[in-house]
Amino acid sequence: MSPTPVNVTVTGAAGQIGYALLFRIASGQLLGPDVPVRLRLLEIPQGVKAAEGTAMELEDCAFPLLAGIDIFDNPTDGFAGTNIGLLVGARPRTKGMERGDLLEANGGIFGPQGAAINAGAADDVRILVVGNPANTNALIAASHAPDVPSDRFTAMTRLDHNRALSQAATKAGVPVSQVRRLTIWGNHSATQYPDLFHAEIDGAPATALTDDSTWLTDDFIPTVATRGAAIIEARGASSAASAANAAVDHVRDWVHGTPKGDWTSAGIVSDGSYGVPEGLVSSFPVVSRDGRWEIVQGLEVGDFSRERIDASVKELVEERDAVRSLGLI
Ligand code: NAD
Ligand code: LMR
């Protein structure tokens, strides 16, 4: 008997990340070559027709693991029975929009989606929020899902992590596979802190990188932290394939575990570790064991790192306070 398909809901399915993501999920790259998936595409009504076009293309790939595709224009139906939710669709910042306006517009999306997840998702549901501002959108969704354990809500900082791996590998002149144990702390925004102080190159401390303080401060940190804006500037559109790739990496590692001897980065609900206030969705060094993210404990945090982690966490606190004052959490 073939295994029961896993229900994967993708919001913003007709957008550019959705287009880069759905084919990888259907081909087995998210959950493995033996796991059938049923795709649930959630769009706003104006996006449904384009989602139908994407669904036709998915059918035309004849993926053996694709057990079905359904398209929805409301979160209640979109999240019914969902095992994995990739929350990609969000309200982009448009001209003249203040941060508060953006948070409010996204509260109107992620609040109802959280409530729908609470009402109808499967008991083992896992959520990854990609749509920006991802950390605070995840906080909003989680706060509308009181019956779902909060550790099932995560925000994507894996793209930042992958960007940092690539930059560090290039600087060290080694393949990316030889760089391990780096961390993205804080918010998926320009305040994030990519931390190399525990990183290893080919199994040895990455001192050649951390000793080069000018490169670290003036090149590595700002390059990683502002990479999203640089891609928008160059492409005229925000990152899509690399964002979809990072979403696949995040969920695959969450479900199947992180490699021994390494860790990755994910925005998860803080338990107070490393001085990050409990309840904030912040990026941490994490491993996945038995299908759960765990924060890597016991890392020494020097003054250089502390100052930068605190600055990004301060921004998360401000975002949380703003959505709280708008009644969104
Ligand atoms: P896009 O504009 O191409 O697509 C977004 C899609 O979401 C559209 O089809 C739109 O109709 C849909 N949508 C809007 N509101 C919705 C709702 N309430 N329910 C369902 N669908 C809805 O955007 P994109 O390039 O695919 O990016 C999506 C989001 O991901 C943006 O917020 C972007 O900033 C963010 N992003 C995050 C990261 C990260 O690392 N966390 C990286 C890249 C992009
Ligand atoms: C990215 O990091 O590429 C995106 O979050 C940028 C954006 O604003 O969509």
Side-chain angles (χ1 to χ4, degrees):
M1 208 174 80
S2 54
T4 311
V6 174
N7 291 320
V8 181
T9 298
V10 177
T11 79
Q16 46 152 11
I17 295 176
Y19 195 73
L21 183 58
L22 289 163
F23 298 85
R24 296 193 57 182
I25 300 172
S27 71
Q29 292 177 57
L30 189 77
L31 298 173
D34 305 318
V35 184
V37 290
R38 191 179 294 279
L39 285 171
R40 303 176 73 78
L41 315 187
L42 178 58
E43 259 296 341
I44 50 175
Q46 305 90 292
V48 164
K49 190 154 195 295
E52 285 169 357
T54 304
M56 287 160 70
E57 283 205 69
L58 283 160
E59 285 168 10
D60 294 350
C61 293
F63 288 119
L65 292 172
L66 185 56
I69 312 168
D70 294 291
I71 301 174
F72 304 97
D73 68 0
N74 70 88
T76 304
D77 295 331
F79 288 109
T82 294
N83 305 105
I84 293 177
L86 297 164
L87 278 51
V88 178
R91 173 78 159 78
R93 192 196 289 258
T94 41
K95 219 174 167 188
M97 218 175 175
E98 299 297 331
R99 195 163 67 164
D101 302 330
L102 184 71
L103 291 168
E104 187 164 21
N106 279 294
I109 295 174
F110 289 86
Q113 289 185 356
I117 290 162
N118 195 54
D123 287 345
D124 67 350
V125 68
R126 288 180 171 93
I127 299 294
L128 171 63
V129 176
V130 174
N132 282 321
N135 299 54
T136 297
N137 287 341
L139 177 72
I140 294 170
S143 78
H144 285 77
D147 305 327
V148 178
S150 60
D151 65 358
R152 308 290 187 76
F153 285 87
T154 63
M156 192 165 91
T157 55
R158 184 61 173 263
L159 177 54
D160 311 291
H161 185 93
N162 288 346
R163 287 166 171 165
L165 279 177
S166 182
Q167 294 296 323
T170 302
K171 171 72 175 171
V174 299
V176 167
S177 57
Q178 289 186 19
V179 184
R180 298 193 308 177
R181 300 188 170 200
L182 60 75
T183 304
I184 304 295
W185 298 92
N187 202 0
H188 172 68
S189 76
T191 68
Q192 68 178 262
Y193 170 51
D195 178 0
L196 284 178
F197 283 95
H198 304 281
E200 293 176 0
I201 307 287
D202 204 9
T207 40
L209 304 188
T210 48
D211 285 354
D212 187 345
S213 60
T214 308
W215 173 78
L216 197 63
T217 312
D218 297 350
D219 192 341
F220 175 72
I221 294 173
T223 297
V224 173
T226 63
R227 186 73 161 184
I231 287 168
I232 292 172
E233 174 68 23
R235 246 172 55 86
S238 67
S239 60
S242 55
N245 177 68
V248 169
D249 285 350
H250 176 112
V251 173
R252 186 201 56 229
D253 283 358
W254 194 356
V255 172
H256 293 298
T258 37
K260 270 210 164 60
D262 200 2
W263 66 67
T264 187
S265 305
I268 65 171
V269 176
S270 176
D271 61 0
S273 293
Y274 295 104
V276 179
E278 211 177 323
L280 284 185
V281 177
S282 178
S283 188
F284 286 99
V286 290
V287 291
S288 164
R289 300 275 177 263
D290 302 322
R292 296 174 64 127
W293 290 118
E294 292 168 14
I295 297 173
V296 176
Q297 297 294 343
L299 300 179
E300 200 183 306
V301 176
D303 291 346
F304 182 93
S305 297
R306 186 77 263 166
E307 188 188 318
R308 287 164 175 80
I309 294 170
D310 287 350
S312 195
V313 168
K314 179 169 174 281
E315 183 182 51
L316 286 171
V317 168
E318 286 165 7
E319 289 184 12
R320 180 200 60 197
D321 291 349
V323 294
R324 193 176 271 160
S325 71
L326 290 163
L328 297 172
I329 59 171

